[in-house]
Amino acid sequence: MGNAQLQSIHVHPVKAFRGQAPREAVVEPWGLAGDRRWALIDDGGKVVTQRQQPRIALAAAELLPGGGVRLSAPGAQPLTVPVPRPVGTVPMQIFRDKVEAVPAEDPAVHAWCSAYLGADVRLVHMDDPATRRPVDPEYAREGETVSFADGYPLLVTTTASLDALNSLVSQGDHPAEGPLPMNRFRPNVVVSGTGPWAEDDWSRITIGEVGFRVAKSCGRCVVTTTDQDSAVRGREPLHTLGRHRRLEGKLVFGQNLVPLSPGVIRVGDPVTVLG
């Protein structure tokens, strides 16, 4: 691990949308600044992701100063969405969690998203991530919260593990689907310079001067089979993960992180394993 370093940073301002790869990012208690503070919900208040709508992969969200976003998608005019005033909330369900969120104020925003997906959806914002949604209590410490991410503030993956997975894919039943790019796994931070699957044994790490605890392995879903450049689904990597990376009934790749302190991380920062 002496050569381990932060290879890339990924911020997804709108959950399930294409994100950005800044050279540095502010680490907040609930995740990277601006990451997954926006999400889509359906007419019943349930979160909408690439699980239900693979075409979301082709939509992009650019984070703007102050927390607003600029949305773009094939066949649609770009749209700027400011942070809504917290004058009222709507209930939403994100997997097992019930959360209050603030809808975008301009009806044109909801119309833009609905027209692109061909479904009735609304864009909502998390106004106060310090209080709105706790981390899964089975793996959390008191007071830990998370944005609209799947369950934890950050997700870390390693290039060595992706290389190892792609080697297994190439020897498996669907070799033509590989090699898979890292964006299939939608991580926040990607680490290079480790051995394959080294992250399985981490319990605490630092990236630069910022500390993180490793909460649990990340269970993977159908989103990983979605080509992020075409929105077409295949069989991999779930087929190969099912044969080689099954843990407690889940197919795993990457680790979920919870910040131990605020700070700034930068591409090239050393990554140190403390336990």
Side-chain angles (χ1 to χ4, degrees):
M1 284 293 294
N3 297 320
Q5 65 176 21
L6 182 58
Q7 184 190 68
S8 60
I9 299 170
H10 304 273
V11 176
H12 302 88
V14 179
K15 184 175 180 64
F17 279 48
R18 186 170 299 183
Q20 301 171 268
R23 299 290 297 177
E24 64 178 49
V26 174
V27 178
E28 299 175 332
W30 39 83
L32 298 183
D35 186 64
R36 295 172 171 95
R37 291 286 296 276
W38 298 81
L40 295 175
I41 58 173
D42 64 17
D43 55 4
K46 291 185 178 180
V47 70
V48 178
T49 73
Q50 291 183 34
R51 293 166 175 82
Q52 302 86 12
Q53 290 275 4
R55 287 190 72 229
I56 298 179
L58 307 182
E62 175 189 356
L63 186 64
L64 301 176
V69 288
R70 181 174 173 82
L71 307 181
S72 59
Q77 290 292 321
L79 181 69
T80 297
V81 186
V83 172
R85 294 169 297 170
V87 294
T89 63
V90 295
M92 66 175 287
Q93 185 161 349
I94 177 166
F95 311 124
R96 294 179 296 177
D97 298 335
K98 293 183 178 179
V99 183
E100 293 295 320
V102 183
E105 294 184 68
D106 188 346
V109 174
H110 310 302
W112 187 98
C113 296
S114 298
Y116 173 64
L117 293 180
D120 186 12
V121 296
R122 289 180 290 170
L123 183 69
V124 297
H125 180 256
M126 181 178 285
D127 59 329
D128 186 8
T131 63
R132 290 294 185 197
R133 185 183 176 214
V135 171
D136 183 346
E138 186 175 352
Y139 298 96
R141 295 176 179 174
E142 185 175 358
E144 290 179 342
T145 61
V146 62
S147 64
F148 290 137
D150 276 4
Y152 298 87
L154 286 89
L155 172 66
V156 60
T157 59
T158 67
T159 57
S161 294
L162 180 62
D163 290 344
L165 176 61
N166 277 325
S167 179
L168 294 171
V169 170
S170 72
Q171 302 166 44
D173 298 330
H174 309 284
E177 291 193 25
L180 303 173
M182 190 66 85
N183 64 9
R184 290 289 187 97
F185 302 95
R186 300 179 62 81
N188 291 113
V189 288
V190 179
V191 175
S192 62
T194 73
W197 317 119
E199 63 274 20
D200 289 352
D201 298 323
W202 298 349
S203 61
R204 193 158 67 95
I205 66 171
T206 58
I207 302 175
E209 297 181 354
V210 183
F212 301 87
R213 71 176 185 89
V214 180
K216 65 181 292 289
S217 298
C218 183
R220 309 313 309 213
C221 70
V222 70
V223 171
T224 61
T225 69
T226 307
D227 187 317
Q228 298 294 297
D229 294 321
S230 68
V232 173
R233 282 190 174 148
R235 296 289 303 279
E236 297 293 0
L238 293 186
H239 182 78
T240 296
L241 291 175
R243 289 188 170 186
H244 300 279
R245 294 284 298 167
R246 190 181 293 272
L247 179 65
E248 296 180 354
K250 296 185 179 297
L251 313 184
V252 300
F253 186 89
Q255 297 287 334
N256 292 297
L257 302 180
V258 180
L260 296 173
S261 59
V264 178
I265 57 173
R266 300 175 176 84
V267 171
D269 275 351
V271 177
T272 305
V273 177
L274 302 179

